[in-house]
Amino acid sequence: MRDLLNGPSGLGTSAARLGRPEAVELPPEAGYAERPWGDGTAPPLYVPVVEREDALLAAAVDERLIAWAGECGFEEPERFLGGMFGRLAVLTHTDTDDVDQLLIAARLNAAWWAADDLYADSTEMGAVPAELPPRLALAMAAMDPVAPAAEFTDELEETIAADPVLVGLRSGIAHLTARSTPTVVQRVCYSTFAMFVSWSAYAAWRHTGNYPPAWQYLATRQHDTFYTSMTLIDAVGGYELPAPLYYDPRVRQLLTSAGTASVIVNDLVSVEKDAADEKPVCNMVLQIAADRGCSIAEATERTVELHNQMVRDFEAGHRELLSVPSVELHRFLKGTKAWMGGGFEWHTTHPRYK
Ligand SMILES: CC(C)=CCC/C(C)=C(\C)COP(=O)(O)OP(=O)(O)O
């Protein structure tokens, strides 16, 4: 098979490479730092520096987001969604200040999180493990309308219209569809559906009470990460990373390292919240502590090491791909790095995780 990142080799073949006629010489990306987090007792996290914090822009996105959440039927949207996802979009998608573009990320992240809280994780908010898989099957139907099927479709539509989570997912995808391409929309849908399989695995573990060893949790978590949020990077930025580059194995590995590292930050800051649920939520720190019979502090240390290794893997892999002649690829990887930095900032400052 042709190697899309390296392209054909040999004299006179550089013009045949994807994207641009000549390889672009770019300096290595700077801008990583060891950042303290939590109460400062755990080792620091190695993360990209934050590229943008803009409270005014975040407020503008949040205002529109809250109005949208109300239209979807969420009760108390200010309390549930307000002040969360506008700032997340502004911190993580740093190559646009267009509110409508940022709303692509704000709406979909809000809808994903709503599904995660209300369907999957929070017993208090109505999540029931045994009911999760059929709820997620409806979520897929809401996001990715399939062939019309007469009265069966009518009944489906009535159900979707009555559930704010399903309305939110559908509306988030509609906003993306209006501002992106069918390829990106399907990329976003299918990474969401893979994530739903992982949620179903957690539900089975919580239902039976048979929690997995850390390796199995991590293998499952790797398809339930902020990779899903990162599928939006080019759409929010107003361009498209072509599918052959997006799905190239080396690019995919970088994106999955970035997505998993970012979700490990989420696990690190969520330990208390996840352990407190009457059916404890799966979490890397808790699974390591249970597996090894070690303290939360020791399990945290191992989780931080794993995170830092993944960020360093991303950094090294990113550097290796700088010679690939594709402006879109460079923009996307720069955007991925910015997402990791912004995601760290959001998680370590948000009251949800205090
Ligand atoms: C935004 C997005 C892709 C959400 C999907 C689920 C996800 C990876 C999270 C919400 C993060 O993980 P977790 O469910 O542990 O999050 P909380 O600790 O509940 O915030």
Side-chain angles (χ1 to χ4, degrees):
M1 271 208 26
R2 189 163 178 269
D3 180 345
L4 286 174
L5 294 188
N6 293 319
S9 56
L11 277 180
T13 53
S14 62
R17 291 180 180 176
L18 278 185
R20 289 250 300 255
E22 297 297 334
V24 247
E25 287 293 323
L26 293 172
E29 286 282 333
Y32 289 78
E34 290 200 332
R35 303 265 322 261
W37 60 281
D39 63 7
T41 54
L45 284 161
Y46 184 68
V47 278
V49 295
V50 180
E51 290 189 18
R52 173 176 70 186
E53 174 86 270
D54 183 335
L56 275 182
L57 185 56
V61 180
D62 273 326
E63 192 183 329
R64 296 266 306 276
L65 185 71
I66 289 166
W68 167 83
E71 285 157 23
C72 292
F74 287 104
E75 283 169 23
E76 297 188 81
E78 302 81 357
R79 195 173 67 81
F80 182 46
L81 299 171
M84 294 177 77
F85 302 108
R87 178 165 177 252
L88 179 68
V90 168
L91 277 167
T92 53
H93 295 272
T94 55
D95 58 355
T96 182
D97 53 12
D98 181 308
V99 171
D100 281 305
Q101 290 298 110
L102 290 165
L103 276 166
I104 296 173
R107 286 181 180 171
L108 275 167
N109 278 294
W112 283 322
W113 241 288
D116 188 57
D117 279 348
L118 300 177
Y119 288 177
D121 280 358
S122 171
T123 306
E124 198 189 328
M125 290 183 181
V128 179
E131 288 175 18
L132 181 68
R135 282 174 144 179
L136 295 179
L138 282 185
M140 292 197 293
M143 291 175 70
D144 187 24
V146 284
E151 74 273 22
F152 302 105
T153 300
D154 297 341
E155 290 178 272
L156 169 67
E157 289 302 318
E158 269 174 39
T159 305
I160 291 175
D163 182 335
V165 172
L166 301 178
V167 175
L169 287 167
R170 172 170 285 182
S171 165
I173 288 291
H175 188 60
L176 171 70
T177 303
R179 292 175 166 268
S180 182
T181 65
T183 315
V184 171
V185 171
Q186 284 303 312
R187 175 213 289 171
V188 173
C189 283
Y190 278 87
S191 87
T192 304
F193 303 163
M195 183 170 84
F196 287 170
V197 175
S198 295
W199 293 10
S200 299
Y202 310 145
W205 294 327
R206 293 173 78 195
H207 181 69
T208 59
N210 297 326
Y211 283 77
W215 68 262
Q216 191 178 3
Y217 166 70
L218 186 60
T220 309
R221 188 59 152 159
Q222 292 240 42
H223 284 89
D224 165 37
T225 75
F226 291 112
Y227 172 90
T228 308
S229 302
M230 293 168 184
T231 59
L232 301 172
I233 285 172
D234 48 351
V236 176
Y239 64 100
E240 180 179 349
L241 177 61
L245 280 174
Y246 182 85
Y247 287 112
D248 183 281
R250 286 169 70 188
V251 175
R252 173 139 172 95
Q253 198 167 332
L254 284 194
L255 301 183
T256 53
S257 295
T260 302
S262 297
V263 95
I264 287 177
V265 173
N266 177 287
D267 275 11
L268 283 164
V269 299
S270 301
V271 171
E272 278 180 34
K273 177 174 78 58
D274 289 347
D277 195 280
E278 65 188 70
K279 291 182 196 297
V281 174
C282 297
N283 175 301
M284 192 59 182
V285 176
L286 298 176
Q287 303 326 128
I288 292 181
D291 246 18
R292 302 188 176 178
C294 69
S295 66
I296 293 290
E298 285 165 320
T300 301
E301 202 168 308
R302 180 66 193 108
T303 307
V304 168
E305 272 171 15
L306 185 68
H307 167 277
N308 290 353
Q309 188 55 54
M310 285 187 176
V311 175
R312 288 185 200 283
D313 288 347
F314 174 87
E315 186 182 13
H318 185 185
R319 198 177 305 120
E320 277 174 23
L321 294 187
L322 287 175
S323 61
V324 175
S326 164
V327 171
E328 292 81 10
L329 180 64
H330 297 308
R331 206 170 156 192
F332 200 101
L333 292 178
K334 190 173 182 308
T336 308
K337 179 179 166 225
W339 206 107
M340 282 193 279
F344 169 86
E345 190 65 23
W346 187 81
H347 276 94
T348 50
T349 52
H350 201 286
R352 176 181 170 91
Y353 304 105
K354 290 278 177 256

